[in-house]
Amino acid sequence: MTHEVAVRVGMLYGPMVMAVAGWILAPARNRSRTGAAVLVAVLWLLPVLWALQTVNQRAGWWKFTVHGPAVRGMPLEAYLGWVVLWGAVPVLLPGSLPWAWRVVTLVSFDLLVMPMCSPVLVLSREWLWGEAGFVVVGLLPAVLLGEWTRVQRFPARRAWMQVVMAGMVVLFLLPECVFVLRGGGWEQRLCWLRTHPRWENALGAVAVQCVLLLGVMGVAAAREFGVRGAGTPIPFDPPRRLVVSGVYRYVANPMQLSCVLVMLAWAAVLRSGWLALGAVVSVVYSAGLAAWDEGEDLRLRFGERWVRYRGQVRDWRVRWRPYVEPDAAPAVLWVSAACGPCSEVRLWFERHEVRGMVIRAAEEHPTQRLRRVRYEDGEYGADGVRAVFRALEHVHFGWAFAGMVLGMPGVWWVVQVVMDGCGLGEREIGCRTVIKT
């Protein structure tokens, strides 16, 4: 066996052997959580490594000299091996090893082995900068995501990371695979779009924005899983509490519905029938195996609450008016009775037929001296413009969707800053004295 063949074999099978050994030695009582952690860490690395290798093609930190199936100039065996090495192996290291030492172990391994991969891998003088970038964007988040999943911590963070991961897979990695198999790539497709007469004006930008809007329901649903359900969209790491708030008041399967709509719209933007076929396959899977498996699991875990909810809310058909649990305490929107602009907010909601929410004077809040409008639903609470956006879910789907869009990360912050700049920021609210007789 030549040195080049040995290097290529080692790139793939070395990490796989490490992962298999780690899985065999992992405690049997935690296999399900360990498997979920391995899955999310690997899924994080798949699109991130693709994106980083795209950057490397321009930066020139290193290059591969071999030919054959490749991902952005990286041999397929190196790509898959790196994903396993940085995704699965850190999770499968002994559980007593802190996550920081897992990162140090993998980085040390990389620094030792990469210079030994010549002539398959040729390193430039700046390759350590590339390694640092790969660690910060690839290895470190993958290790943290895997560790948090294994020990069931920070569900909201895990859900947001999975949103980023899913977005990169659907919008970039999956089209890349389709284009490569069809004898092209992103560069050829983008060149074709730039020269197409219909894309010389703002139509292209509008189409991309429409794709992003179609993804809002999926993002809002993932946020709801993390914040309200203490879980994530990954089937092996589901919410621990039944989620019937937010977008789930209107449709039972918003993530899969949103994913299918995004894939169809993205296929139309990129003029790819194969991507549209992927959306069709996703519908078949979601309506068949996934619906049966998830439905049975949810019925066993949540019993009558789930059966009652599914009797009113469908998988693919969006309700116009929100679902409200019959026995649940209503959400509360706390609005100051002495604040003029706040009173306008109160009057607006009172003019609409809200469901599952009551409006009360902020001065009467039992535990806090409020300085902004506040929305509370059980243990969940939001202040300022986010409170108003959350309250919109109690009107109808049109206003609920507007609230989802305006409540996206970064968007709500801009709106809040603008509102504060217009004089509608925090206010001192005097507590109302209640005399009991």
Side-chain angles (χ1 to χ4, degrees), residues 371-394:
R371 297 173 62 87
R372 293 186 185 272
V373 176
R374 181 167 176 80
Y375 173 88
E376 293 181 345
D377 186 7
E379 298 179 357
Y380 173 80
D383 298 290
V385 295
R386 285 190 297 173
V388 177
F389 299 156
R390 287 307 305 238
L392 291 175
E393 75 185 51
H394 295 273

Side-chain angles (χ1 to χ4, degrees), residues 66-211:
V66 296
H67 301 285
V71 178
R72 290 285 165 174
M74 178 184 291
L76 185 59
E77 60 268 22
Y79 175 77
L80 295 177
W82 214 337
V83 167
V84 173
L85 179 66
W86 278 14
V89 172
V91 175
L92 295 170
L93 288 174
S96 58
L97 189 65
W99 66 264
W101 283 106
R102 297 168 189 255
V103 174
V104 171
T105 300
L106 268 296
V107 171
S108 301
F109 181 84
D110 246 26
L111 296 177
L112 175 66
V113 172
M114 286 183 69
M116 300 170 58
C117 293
S118 176
V120 174
L121 176 64
V122 179
L123 304 176
S124 71
R125 294 182 178 179
E126 293 81 23
W127 77 276
L128 289 178
W129 289 107
E131 176 75 6
F134 273 51
V135 170
V136 171
V137 183
L139 176 61
L140 182 58
V143 170
L144 289 175
L145 180 57
E147 179 66 12
W148 293 340
T149 301
R150 188 177 64 83
V151 299
Q152 294 184 287
R153 296 186 64 192
F154 307 117
R157 298 182 191 177
R158 299 191 334 250
W160 282 120
M161 292 179 72
Q162 290 179 21
V163 167
V164 174
M165 174 180 70
M168 294 187 65
V169 169
V170 172
L171 297 178
F172 300 105
L173 185 58
L174 183 59
E176 169 83 359
C177 296
V178 171
F179 298 153
V180 169
L181 291 174
R182 298 293 294 171
W186 266 105
E187 289 76 8
Q188 293 89 333
R189 183 63 54 156
L190 292 177
C191 181
W192 180 85
L193 289 175
R194 284 193 296 266
T195 57
H196 197 278
R198 294 183 180 179
W199 291 80
E200 292 178 352
N201 48 34
L203 180 61
V206 172
V208 172
Q209 292 175 39
C210 289
V211 173

Side-chain angles (χ1 to χ4, degrees), residues 364-366 432-437:
E364 298 177 355
H365 196 282
R432 180 181 298 174
T433 303
V434 180
I435 302 177
K436 295 182 179 182
T437 59

